[in-house]
Amino acid sequence: MNSGAATVTAKEAASRADVLPERRVEEACLGAALVNDVAARVVAEEVETAAFASAAHRAIHTGVCRLVARGEDVDHLTVAAELERSGAINLIPGRDYLCVLAETTPAATHVRSYIARVKELARERHLRAALEKIGMSAQGRLDADSRTQLQGLLAESSDLLETDIADHVGVSLYDGAALAGLQLETPVALCEGLLYVGCSTDLVAEVKRGKTTMALAIARDVINGEPWCGRTTRKSGVLYLSEQSPHSFVPQVARAGLLGEERFCTLFHRDALALSWPEIGKVVERCARERGLNLVVVDNLSLWAGIEGDEENDAGVALATLRVIERLTGCGLAVLVLRHARKGGGSISEAGRGSSALAGGFDVLLHLKGDAHPRRRQLSVTGRVFAAEPPDWVIEMDDAGRYRSVGSVGAVKERDLREMLLGLLPATKEEAITEATIIEHCQANGIGKPKAQDVLRELCDENDPERPCERAKGAGSASSRAYGYWRRGDATQLPTS
């Protein structure tokens, strides 16, 4: 049987939830064990194998119990291997059935509710069988009272069997008053305004715009607890999932000052080729927990999640991809995901390649764009963790490979325009140039005439005693009816105040 056929068989088996009431809750119980080590121990210790109605589920539970008893990890791969060793693999609809159980688990944290329901259904099943046996053996010889009692027990058992699992999961509803009374903690920031514990951040940029360089710079400052671009950080270890080979990645790590840092751990994609995206998520969760790493960087998402070609635009693929990230954030990790920008550009929520469902699943969105200055980048930020929309800002890398905040995009552009004009204007009245010459130069650099005129007048404001520029009709090359502009004294840069 090929893998495709096996997958269909497994999904069909998992979808037959209405055949027996037991199936849905048994699948949830075993699925929880496959995705969470704590749940696996609870399932092994608190429920007996005989409590499962399905022979396939009894075999899976036996495999889980054996792995827990040996102190080994429990997931769909290790359970499959255990079933093969014991010869019980043929009792389940295929290896893929284990993967389906893991992927369709409602919530591993509800495992005790699932166990309670499995036990309850097992008792009801045994009771019903016993009652039916009594009724058959009596063959009508029961008196009227006994028959009435027997019928009542059977009816009660039947009603219980029809009870939906949702009645046992502890679903709560909150009205407005209850919501107002909730004591909600502010998310802990690993890097203020960018990374938060239990939240996911999506960093989108064009190819070779510096995503990896920026991610490594943030990782370095988070590890050391030092501010990044003026934003406070909280000390944490970092697990970096790299798409690169060690030959290209190690030099970047060295430039970031992270070589030799024990709190910076790397998983290379070449070493995880045999694993699916959900399996990689489990590895990341376990490694982060064991080493105390609170920040996970995924560089880049499409490669690690195995998204190829037209799958990028598939909302279903996007949601399956996000499910793994949600599992990591649900464990209390901060997750920074790197993605390539689409060619057509667009707003910050549309900048990334692929389905818009991806962007919609992240808590914070970052868009890194190029700037006229080669060492600068423009960074746009938005997200549901902010009370107000943060302004776009400019960051700049120094010679030591460290970023600094230059300011908001609007303020930086105006400052750059002022400095450009100061550099353009001559130092003496005799060399003064006309406004037409200045405007022509600005337009050649992508600056509109109205903005250039506004800034030029501010530089020459006669009400400002510290104005850096002067103008006069007929000065320099200007006609007697036009203004000529020049720089005052040695005013080659803006005042620092």
Side-chain angles (χ1 to χ4, degrees):
M1 180 182 294
N2 60 39
S3 59
T7 301
V8 172
T9 301
K11 289 184 176 179
E12 288 177 348
S15 68
R16 292 198 296 269
D18 297 328
V19 174
L20 288 174
E22 292 94 337
R23 181 176 296 279
R24 290 175 62 192
V25 70
E26 288 182 8
E27 288 173 346
C29 183
L30 295 173
L34 295 176
V35 300
N36 185 283
D37 290 336
V38 174
R41 289 196 297 273
V42 173
V43 169
E45 294 170 359
E46 297 189 9
V47 61
E48 296 180 358
T49 300
F52 292 91
S54 164
H57 295 166
R58 291 195 293 272
I60 295 170
H61 182 262
T62 300
V64 170
C65 291
R66 289 173 178 170
L67 291 171
V68 170
R70 296 199 299 265
E72 299 179 11
D73 293 334
V74 176
D75 57 37
H76 71 271
L77 291 177
T78 57
V79 171
E82 179 62 30
L83 294 180
E84 287 179 344
R85 281 194 294 269
S86 65
I89 191 67
N90 292 329
L91 295 177
I92 67 174
R95 293 173 62 99
D96 286 347
Y97 182 62
L98 296 171
C99 186
V100 172
L101 291 182
E103 291 180 349
T104 57
T105 301
T109 53
H110 297 156
V111 64
R112 292 187 185 278
S113 295
Y114 305 150
I115 289 175
R117 185 62 175 148
V118 166
K119 291 180 176 179
E120 182 181 358
L121 288 171
R123 288 193 298 269
E124 292 164 359
R125 191 169 61 251
H126 295 154
L127 174 62
R128 187 168 185 169
L131 290 172
E132 289 177 346
K133 183 176 181 181
I134 292 173
M136 291 176 63
S137 61
Q139 293 185 0
R141 291 194 297 273
L142 292 175
D143 57 31
D145 290 339
S146 297
R147 283 199 298 273
T148 300
Q149 183 180 10
L150 177 60
Q151 290 170 352
L153 289 173
L154 285 171
E156 179 183 358
S157 178
S158 177
D159 290 340
L160 287 172
L161 282 170
E162 293 174 358
T163 302
D164 192 85
I165 185 174
D167 296 333
H168 298 266
V169 174
V171 176
S172 300
L173 296 179
Y174 295 85
D175 59 20
L179 290 175
L182 290 177
Q183 299 295 320
L184 300 177
E185 297 182 359
T186 303
V188 176
L190 288 187
C191 183
E192 183 187 1
L194 302 181
L195 305 173
Y196 295 87
V197 172
C199 295
S200 56
T201 299
D202 181 33
L203 172 59
V204 171
E206 295 177 355
V207 177
K208 304 303 179 184
R209 284 297 185 187
K211 294 188 297 296
T212 300
T213 301
M214 176 176 157
L216 289 172
I218 294 174
R220 175 191 57 214
D221 289 338
V222 167
I223 286 174
N224 295 324
E226 299 175 349
W228 184 82
C229 288
R231 296 173 178 243
T232 58
T233 63
R234 182 185 180 96
K235 275 191 174 184
S236 168
V238 177
L239 175 56
Y240 200 106
L241 278 60
S242 176
E243 64 177 336
Q244 300 174 229
S245 70
H247 295 287
S248 61
F249 188 64
V250 170
Q252 284 189 284
V253 173
R255 287 193 294 272
L258 289 167
L259 210 57
E261 174 56 68
E262 293 183 355
R263 292 166 296 173
F264 180 82
C265 299
T266 304
L267 174 62
F268 290 105
H269 185 258
R270 68 170 195 178
D271 298 327
L273 293 175
L275 301 179
S276 67
W277 177 229
E279 292 164 353
I280 291 170
K282 293 192 68 173
V283 171
V284 168
E285 179 186 348
R286 184 176 68 250
C287 292
R289 182 177 63 249
E290 292 173 350
R291 291 177 173 261
L293 311 174
N294 295 321
L295 173 59
V296 175
V297 182
V298 183
D299 183 4
N300 70 67
L301 181 61
S302 293
L303 182 69
W304 281 95
I307 303 174
E308 300 179 351
D310 292 339
E311 288 181 339
E312 283 190 327
N313 299 313
D314 189 322
V317 173
L319 294 175
T321 300
L322 288 168
R323 191 175 297 121
V324 175
I325 296 173
E326 289 169 356
R327 171 175 172 168
L328 296 177
T329 56
C331 297
L333 298 172
V335 180
L336 173 61
V337 164
L338 278 55
R339 291 197 296 141
H340 294 314
R342 66 172 77 241
K343 292 181 180 179
S347 66
I348 186 170
S349 61
E350 301 170 337
R353 277 193 347 207
S355 170
S356 58
L358 270 177
F362 289 97
D363 300 296
V364 179
L365 301 180
L366 307 178
H367 189 192
L368 190 66
K369 294 171 283 189
D371 187 89
H373 193 292
R375 289 200 170 192
R376 291 181 183 175
R377 294 291 184 269
Q378 296 180 21
L379 187 62
S380 300
V381 184
T382 190
R384 44 181 169 253
V385 300
F386 306 115
E389 193 79 0
D392 294 353
W393 50 305
V394 177
I395 58 177
E396 184 176 56
M397 179 179 285
D398 61 21
D399 293 335
R402 290 189 173 275
Y403 284 98
R404 70 179 185 92
S405 175
V406 183
S408 68
V409 170
V412 171
K413 285 185 175 180
E414 185 162 322
R415 182 179 179 87
D416 287 347
L417 174 54
R418 289 169 176 259
E419 291 182 346
M420 184 186 74
L421 292 178
L422 283 173
L424 174 65
L425 296 178
T428 65
K429 181 177 181 180
E430 290 73 22
E431 299 174 303
I433 58 177
T434 65
E435 180 176 312
T437 300
I438 296 170
I439 298 301
E440 182 180 357
H441 181 84
C442 289
Q443 290 178 330
N445 285 275
I447 301 165
K449 180 178 177 179
K451 185 63 178 177
Q453 288 176 324
D454 288 343
V455 174
L456 188 59
R457 290 187 177 88
E458 289 176 9
L459 293 174
C460 301
D461 186 1
E462 295 179 356
N463 295 320
D464 181 6
E466 297 183 359
R467 60 187 181 277
C469 301
E470 294 278 12
R471 69 175 185 172
K473 289 184 177 181
S477 60
S479 68
S480 59
R481 300 177 63 181
Y483 283 106
Y485 295 81
W486 72 96
R487 190 175 65 245
R488 294 178 64 187
D490 60 353
T492 57
Q493 60 182 13
L494 293 175
T496 56
S497 60

